[in-house]
Amino acid sequence: MLPFDTIEEAATLLGRNLTVAETMWFKYSAKKSDYYLYCHNILFLFLIFSVVPLPLVFVEMMRSLGFDKFKIQPKVSLSLPEMFKCYKDVMRMFVLVVGPLQLVSYPSIKIIGIRTGLPLPSLWEIVAQLTVYFMIEDYTNYWIHRFLHGKWGYEKIHRVHHEYTAPIGFAAPYAHWLEVLILGIPSFLGPAIVPGHMITFWLWIALRQIEAIETHSGYDFPWTPTRFIPFYGGADYHDYHHYVGGQSQSNFASVFTYCDYIYGTDKGYRYHKKVLRKLKEGSKVDGAQNGGSYYYPTQDLKSE
């Protein structure tokens, strides 16, 4: 709730007129509690989990229209009931774990100093903070992901997420309830270290989930904007990790690939791509499409 009764009062205390965005924010949030604003995340996550994967469902159903050439594992095809089952499982976890977690975690947001007032952050401040959030989440998620691929972590927790060896958009948040809780820690660390505005926090939660859905899409589209982001893994990179499954010691990165490169856990993937290039040059890839990007070996090649 903003400590101003009118826009004029807010302008007086700020020493300037409110921007258009600040005026809109004032009109929307002035009489709403901070807790109410924080709980918007529940609605955002529900919409993202439900709506963002829908175009990928259409693509999966219409592969005969030319989308099949972009499918990373073209021999795998999921029916509409199978994809809907995945969505129902995700929504069950949302109702039982994600939603309640959002409801009870508000005190932590107040402790770290996420603010809801004026002035609003500048665009550059938002971009800088989101960049920090992605970097921190990526590094911590990398090590948690490696732990989850240990014998105990995989068998007890992470194997649920790997039930989809050819991932789909709806399967991005599909995981064991304990994994959902554990991976909430990396997502929270960035805002805890560099707290910002509630709007930045909303953007962070939304963008991270949209990125996860894109990475689990199962399709390597040439027009995907993320192709032009330096060190970004993308769908092809993460799909390899899912295909290899529990045996995988490659491609642990959640967003960027720098940790895999630094710690040598992308060697299997890079060797795999090198083999594909050689097979392509020799015209020996049987059934590969789109320049050989969609053929997988039967084991995780860890080194050259």
Side-chain angles (χ1 to χ4, degrees):
M1 185 177 295
L2 298 181
F4 312 115
D5 293 325
T6 65
I7 292 179
E8 290 73 20
E9 182 182 347
T12 299
L13 293 176
L14 290 177
R16 59 170 174 80
N17 291 330
L18 275 63
T19 65
V20 173
E22 288 172 336
T23 300
M24 294 174 62
W25 179 250
F26 179 91
K27 291 179 178 180
Y28 181 75
S29 66
K31 302 302 180 183
K32 295 179 174 65
S33 69
D34 289 354
Y35 180 69
Y36 180 85
L37 294 173
Y38 172 68
C39 287
H40 281 47
N41 274 325
I42 299 176
L43 175 61
F44 296 153
L45 288 172
F46 172 76
L47 291 175
I48 290 169
F49 291 162
S50 302
V51 176
V52 174
L54 288 180
L56 298 171
V57 174
F58 173 81
V59 167
E60 185 70 16
M61 294 294 96
M62 301 296 176
R63 285 169 58 175
S64 60
L65 297 180
F67 293 114
D68 198 58
K69 64 182 178 180
F70 304 118
K71 181 74 172 178
I72 301 171
Q73 297 187 49
K75 293 183 179 180
V76 179
S77 180
L78 293 179
S79 66
L80 189 61
E82 288 173 322
M83 288 186 283
F84 184 63
K85 178 183 181 302
C86 179
Y87 173 71
K88 288 192 297 182
D89 291 337
V90 167
M91 283 298 104
R92 184 182 301 112
M93 189 65 64
F94 180 83
V95 171
L96 297 178
V97 178
V98 178
L101 180 63
Q102 293 291 314
L103 291 174
V104 302
S105 60
Y106 173 70
S108 63
I109 295 300
K110 295 298 292 183
I111 291 173
I112 66 176
I114 299 294
R115 64 185 183 88
T116 60
L118 297 174
L120 292 183
S122 67
L123 176 61
W124 291 113
E125 181 181 345
I126 292 174
V127 170
Q129 289 179 334
L130 289 175
T131 301
V132 171
Y133 296 172
F134 270 108
M135 296 294 288
I136 292 174
E137 193 274 347
D138 201 59
Y139 186 79
T140 50
N141 186 293
Y142 171 85
W143 289 105
I144 293 176
H145 197 178
R146 284 191 67 169
F147 164 75
L148 290 175
H149 270 270
K151 181 177 176 59
W152 184 90
Y154 189 85
E155 292 181 356
K156 300 296 184 182
I157 302 174
H158 195 49
R159 64 174 178 80
V160 175
H161 183 65
H162 275 271
E163 288 176 7
Y164 289 89
T165 56
I168 58 175
F170 279 131
Y174 179 83
H176 190 281
W177 66 268
L178 186 55
E179 181 170 347
V180 173
L181 294 178
I182 293 173
L183 292 183
I185 297 173
S187 296
F188 182 75
L189 276 180
I193 295 173
V194 186
H197 198 276
M198 184 66 75
I199 290 177
T200 307
F201 188 77
W202 288 348
L203 284 171
W204 159 238
I205 297 299
L207 289 174
R208 180 63 183 89
Q209 296 306 318
I210 292 171
E211 182 278 329
I213 291 171
E214 191 272 333
T215 301
H216 287 82
S217 67
Y219 287 85
D220 189 24
F221 298 116
W223 57 77
T224 303
T226 49
R227 274 180 170 269
F228 308 101
I229 299 176
F231 306 108
Y232 183 78
D236 181 72
Y237 189 86
H238 192 68
D239 200 281
Y240 175 79
H241 174 84
H242 268 264
Y243 179 85
V244 179
Q247 301 174 3
S248 178
Q249 293 301 315
S250 287
N251 298 22
F252 293 113
S254 61
V255 182
F256 302 109
T257 61
Y258 68 95
C259 279
D260 280 316
Y261 180 79
I262 291 172
Y263 299 110
T265 48
D266 64 346
K267 291 181 179 179
Y269 176 73
R270 287 191 285 119
Y271 182 63
H272 155 76
K273 301 298 283 187
K274 180 179 179 180
V275 170
L276 291 182
R277 285 192 296 270
K278 290 183 178 180
L279 289 173
K280 177 185 175 183
E281 292 168 0
S283 300
K284 296 179 181 179
V285 179
D286 181 18
Q289 301 183 44
N290 197 28
S293 298
Y294 308 103
Y295 167 80
Y296 282 87
T298 57
Q299 61 181 343
D300 187 6
L301 302 174
K302 299 180 182 179
S303 65
E304 300 183 19

